[in-house]
Amino acid sequence: MRVLASVVLVAVAVIMTPSGAQAEAPSQLRMCLDNATPQAERAAACSFVITNAPPAEAKELSRVYFTRGNAYLNLGVYDRALADFDTVTKANPTASGPFVSRGVVFLRQKQLDRAIAEFDSAIRLNPNDPLAFTNRGDTYRAKGRFDRALQDYDAAIAINPKSVNAYFGRAAALQQKASSDFDAFVNEGRFEELAIAEYGKVLQIAPRNAGALSNRGQLYHTLRKYDLALADFTKAIEINPANPVFLRNRALTHRMMRRFDLAIADYRSALAMTQDADGRKLIGELLAQLGAAV
């Protein structure tokens, strides 16, 4: 009854809305629901609709709240995002989307157990949603439970064999196992090769995924396949030249290949686009090791 009462109160407000706001409402609703709208503008447009011309149907009003909540999520305004997702769940308790989005908020806040609980609920409501499985896999991976994460990524891929995020998650879990799992020490290189294969699947679907290229390059570097590492880092830089991490990775590979001038050039380029003090200090130390000035 509380939800219905709030809808009635909003409906009364619409009657009192000036004609100018009413005339603007359809365009604001389109902006709210258009995925191409920048997130800050999208949140503002949804707020305009909720305040001035809320849809009469509860389902459509929930859609606007859910859309605004996801815009706030993308903007990192987590308290407002959670409030909107809670509003949608109160109006429609069987909708799985708000549980997924709440889980993402908790994942980003590193409240991992709360995130898993939300994804569990989403999967119970909709067991055919690959996104819920992928996000839960990401959460288990953040907890260091790599085998459990792999199970969720496999479930997501079974539902959607073209899920880039699920393949990426599988690759990242295997890559992390390579540096922390006891089996990785017993079977040197095994998990690196498995992760490389998974990043290859990512790149078959999304050839310009710079993160997959950079991560695969790191694996090639670990295996001392420096030419392959350089090729991947260079492609990643071509796709996203503003990422200093890619440049640092390539610089390290140049260094291992004793191409010191190229390493210095990459470190200096990375330094020019690094803002945080710790990052700048690290690059300065790496340059000093090569006898180069900052």
Side-chain angles (χ1 to χ4, degrees):
M1 293 299 295
R2 285 188 208 144
V3 172
L4 291 175
S6 68
V7 172
V8 171
L9 288 173
V10 173
V12 172
V14 173
I15 295 173
M16 303 301 295
T17 299
S19 59
Q22 287 180 324
E24 192 177 349
S27 64
Q28 291 293 312
L29 180 60
R30 285 193 296 272
M31 287 181 63
C32 168
L33 299 180
D34 186 351
N35 291 331
T37 303
Q39 297 301 322
E41 296 176 22
R42 196 174 195 186
C46 293
S47 294
F48 181 96
V49 172
I50 290 168
T51 301
N52 296 291
E57 293 186 18
K59 182 178 179 180
E60 287 302 307
L61 181 58
S62 290
R63 183 185 179 196
V64 174
Y65 271 108
F66 184 54
T67 300
R68 186 176 71 173
N70 280 319
Y72 283 140
L73 169 58
N74 290 326
L75 292 167
V77 186
Y78 297 133
D79 55 342
R80 293 186 180 183
L82 289 172
D84 279 349
F85 299 144
D86 289 346
T87 297
V88 178
T89 296
K90 288 176 184 177
N92 186 0
T94 62
S96 63
F99 288 96
V100 175
S101 294
R102 257 194 309 270
V104 173
V105 170
F106 293 138
L107 173 57
R108 292 186 181 179
Q109 294 178 329
K110 302 189 185 306
Q111 300 185 57
L112 303 182
D113 290 333
R114 294 185 72 182
I116 287 171
E118 295 294 333
F119 296 136
D120 286 346
S121 296
I123 290 167
R124 281 194 295 270
L125 291 168
N126 182 6
N128 293 313
D129 181 7
L131 187 59
F133 281 106
T134 300
N135 285 329
R136 192 173 68 177
D138 289 343
T139 310
Y140 278 123
R141 180 160 60 85
K143 288 172 70 72
R145 297 182 60 185
F146 304 124
D147 290 331
R148 183 64 185 82
L150 288 168
Q151 292 176 19
D152 275 346
Y153 296 135
D154 287 345
I157 291 166
I159 297 167
N160 177 13
K162 296 292 186 182
S163 176
V164 169
N165 290 336
Y167 281 117
F168 194 102
R170 271 190 60 80
L174 290 165
Q175 186 169 11
Q176 289 173 268
K177 277 174 69 73
S179 62
S180 62
D181 196 287
F182 177 75
D183 286 343
F185 296 102
V186 177
N187 301 286
E188 185 177 358
R190 173 171 175 261
F191 288 113
E192 285 89 349
E193 294 290 358
L194 290 171
I196 285 170
E198 294 300 315
Y199 283 126
K201 294 174 185 177
V202 172
L203 293 165
Q204 285 177 1
I205 302 168
R208 292 182 60 79
N209 190 309
L213 286 163
S214 179
N215 287 357
R216 191 175 68 176
Q218 292 179 51
L219 290 162
Y220 282 136
H221 181 101
T222 299
L223 296 174
R224 299 181 179 86
K225 298 180 179 181
Y226 297 130
D227 287 336
L228 293 173
L230 273 182
D232 274 353
F233 293 142
T234 299
K235 288 178 185 176
I237 292 165
E238 289 171 355
I239 294 167
N240 186 358
N243 191 321
V245 174
F246 299 165
L247 285 160
R248 280 167 46 188
N249 288 339
R250 190 173 69 176
L252 179 59
T253 303
H254 279 310
R255 181 174 178 177
M256 296 302 294
M257 300 176 76
R258 306 187 65 81
R259 298 174 177 176
F260 300 123
D261 289 345
L262 293 174
I264 291 169
D266 274 349
Y267 280 136
R268 284 177 173 161
S269 295
L271 182 64
M273 61 183 70
T274 298
Q275 301 299 320
D276 65 285
D278 289 340
R280 293 184 62 83
K281 180 181 177 183
L282 174 61
I283 297 172
E285 291 171 352
L286 293 169
L287 283 167
Q289 290 172 11
L290 294 173
V294 173

